[in-house]
Amino acid sequence: MEFQDKVVLITGAGRGTGHQMAEAFAAQGARLAINDVTPQNVESLAIKLRQRGYNAKVYVDDIAKKVAVQALINQVEDDFGRIDVLINHASVEPHTPLLDMDEWDWHRTLDVNLTGAFLAMQSVGRIMRERGGGVIVNMASLSGGTVSLDRVAYVASLFGIVGLTLQAARELFAYNIRVHMVGRGLGRFQNTGTTVPSELSRAALFLCSPRAAHLTGHIVNLP
């Protein structure tokens, strides 16, 4: 198994693709730190994983808050001793057009989707730098592509995550930290000619594995 005893932190693991990521990495032997702001979903996931004999620990924190993120990362490091892979999946997606959007929704979307990813990447990146490397994968998808007319805050955050991913890949390369972005509806951003599995969790597994040790800064659009 490619991730035997590797420590994988997944934010927003309580639903959707984050849930699938947790199951995929667990099946490959990873030790999981699974985060969500809603206890019920992530705790039920942890119970299911443990019943299958997998190692999973729950962390309920709001990744949009700096103090909460630092506490989360410190606790994961204390519990597992290191972090080998970070999957940034936490997100919110209000369906509100520009002229109707409340300022609170705008700020909350950017705080969770973009600032949360930045805070997690910064704190985990420092740990990875000290330990000689790691992999970070940012997850973001947009059904219908960027032509959607009612998701101005989410689209703005998605463009920001693209830029954050590319810049982080350049800055962290010297520390053997690889950074990628995976999702659907990212066709205009895709910059890889490498063949990547067409299913989200399998694509993330590939990019985080030794098979992709030579790759960084890839924006991968999946069907």
Side-chain angles (χ1 to χ4, degrees), residues 209-222:
S209 75
R211 291 173 289 152
H214 60 295
L215 302 177
T216 192
H218 282 232
I219 310 296
V220 180
N221 178 56
L222 299 176

Side-chain angles (χ1 to χ4, degrees), residues 15-213:
R15 61 183 178 83
T17 303
H19 192 123
Q20 297 167 15
M21 290 285 171
E23 293 183 327
F25 276 99
Q28 289 297 317
R31 295 185 291 161
L32 297 180
I34 49 177
N35 156 265
D36 205 279
V37 73
T38 305
Q40 293 87 345
N41 292 341
V42 73
E43 286 172 356
S44 64
L45 170 61
I47 290 171
K48 182 166 68 172
L49 292 171
R50 291 174 193 143
Q51 288 173 342
R52 298 179 187 174
Y54 300 138
N55 187 338
K57 188 171 177 62
V58 170
Y59 301 85
V60 178
D61 293 284
D62 184 352
I63 60 98
K65 308 296 184 182
K66 182 176 182 178
V67 173
V69 171
Q70 290 176 332
L72 163 65
I73 303 307
N74 289 338
Q75 190 61 57
V76 173
E77 187 180 24
D78 287 345
D79 291 341
F80 292 98
R82 66 181 193 270
I83 301 173
D84 299 296
V85 174
L86 168 65
I87 305 293
N88 274 319
H89 176 259
S91 68
V92 294
E93 186 177 352
H95 287 249
T96 310
L98 172 66
L99 299 184
D100 299 326
M101 172 157 285
D102 183 87
E103 185 180 1
W104 188 93
D105 285 331
W106 170 264
H107 283 297
R108 181 61 181 167
T109 304
L110 293 181
D111 285 347
V112 173
N113 300 1
L114 185 55
T115 301
F118 158 73
L119 291 172
M121 291 171 70
Q122 184 181 63
S123 293
V124 173
R126 289 168 177 164
I127 293 172
M128 290 178 172
R129 178 179 60 185
E130 292 177 1
R131 297 187 173 273
V135 188
I136 298 170
V137 176
N138 296 320
M139 309 294 301
S141 294
L142 186 62
S143 57
T146 53
V147 298
S148 178
L149 299 180
D150 63 350
R151 283 173 280 181
V152 61
Y154 183 80
V155 172
S157 71
L158 183 144
F159 273 70
I161 295 169
V162 171
L164 177 61
T165 299
L166 294 174
Q167 188 61 27
R170 297 185 189 103
E171 293 188 14
L172 301 182
F173 177 77
Y175 307 115
N176 194 34
I177 301 171
R178 299 182 282 120
V179 186
H180 301 286
M181 181 174 177
V182 177
R184 299 187 179 96
L186 306 178
R188 68 180 298 167
F189 306 114
Q190 179 158 299
N191 63 356
T192 179
T194 302
T195 300
V196 177
S198 59
E199 193 271 326
L200 282 169
S201 59
R202 291 181 60 219
L205 286 172
F206 168 76
L207 291 170
C208 295
S209 75
R211 291 173 289 152

